[in-house]
């Protein structure tokens, strides 16, 4: 882990020639249900739940728009806005209990029922990216809503092939403080072991 030191203020220039290890793995997929998100107040979450060893791949795509202002025959200004983030999760087969929890369905006596008025709740989503150097980066999206996964099924053939689902989700900004996500890195200046220890214990 990086040595503890004074963390640079927001938007100040970092020192030159910083280096980051390259990513080789993702793991520790956790979610925490968002219970309250009052405007200007404090967001409240349920206890984080580990989904176990299900995460195979994550794709994060910001929904960004950009405007450009022209005057006197040239561009004089630009404005950029990121409205949300589209998330795609390739996973192993999800236990039905987790599917019901994420998509807002009822689960009783081993049976999940999806009804027309079911509404997926919002969650915080947390995961860990491992680097070749042995260091780690931690990611947390604060307000995410999942959609039903796409699934395929194939008959058994001569060569064994796994059928795995893909979930999509949208991450937006919290009403309470306008935050969308946070990242922490063991190679970043000012990082402490306490940050890593608490990352999956609370939002």
């Amino acid at each position: 882990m990086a040595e503890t030191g004074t963390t640079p203020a927001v938007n100040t220039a970092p020192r030159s020639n910083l280096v980051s290890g390259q990513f080789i793995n993702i793991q520790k997929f956790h979610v925490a249900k968002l219970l309250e998100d009052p405007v200007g107040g404090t967001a409240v979450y349920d206890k984080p739940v580990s989904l176990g060893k299900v995460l195979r791949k994550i794709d994060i795509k910001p929904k960004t728009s950009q405007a450009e202002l022209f005057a006197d025959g040239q561009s004089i200004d630009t404005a950029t806005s990121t409205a949300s983030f589209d998330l795609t999760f390739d996973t192993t087969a999800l236990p039905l209990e987790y599917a019901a929890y994420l998509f807002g369905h009822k689960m009783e006596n081993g049976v999940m029922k999806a009804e027309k008025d079911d509404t997926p709740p919002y969650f915080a989503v947390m995961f860990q990216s491992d680097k070749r150097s042995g260091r780690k980066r931690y990611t947390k999206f604060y307000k995410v809503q999942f959609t039903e996964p796409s699934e395929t099924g194939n008959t058994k053939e001569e060569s064994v092939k796994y059928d795995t689902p893909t979930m999509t989700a949208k991450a937006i900004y919290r009403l309470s403080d306008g935050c969308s996500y946070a990242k922490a890195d063991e190679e970043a200046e000012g990082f402490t072991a306490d940050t890593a220890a608490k990352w999956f214990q609370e939002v």
Side-chain angles (χ1 to χ4, degrees), residues 111-174:
V111 178
M112 182 183 75
K113 291 185 178 180
E115 301 178 351
K116 65 182 182 67
D117 293 328
D118 290 349
T119 301
Y122 286 108
F123 291 90
V125 171
M126 297 158 275
F127 60 90
Q128 172 184 305
S129 303
D130 301 331
K131 302 183 182 184
R132 187 175 179 273
S133 62
R135 305 296 177 88
K136 301 173 180 63
R137 180 173 293 179
Y138 304 90
T139 301
K140 183 180 297 182
F141 282 91
Y142 289 114
K143 193 171 184 178
V144 177
Q145 189 175 60
F146 290 91
T147 59
E148 296 281 348
S150 60
E151 300 180 19
T152 58
N154 293 280
T155 189
K156 185 177 180 181
E157 299 178 355
E158 182 178 353
S159 299
V160 176
K161 182 169 60 175
Y162 291 100
D163 297 323
T164 57
T166 298
M167 291 191 300
T168 59
K170 187 173 289 291
I172 60 176
Y173 298 89
R174 281 192 306 208

Side-chain angles (χ1 to χ4, degrees), residues 49-90:
V49 175
S50 169
L51 301 189
K53 294 183 178 296
V54 300
L55 194 56
R56 301 177 59 242
K57 180 182 177 182
I58 292 179
D59 187 31
I60 303 170
K61 292 184 178 179
K63 297 280 287 187
T64 301
S65 61
Q66 188 173 49
E68 193 170 6
L69 179 64
F70 287 84
D72 290 339
Q74 71 178 60
S75 175
I76 62 169
D77 198 16
T78 60
T80 301
S81 175
T82 300
S84 59
F85 298 83
D86 289 335
L87 312 179
T88 302
F89 304 89
D90 290 346

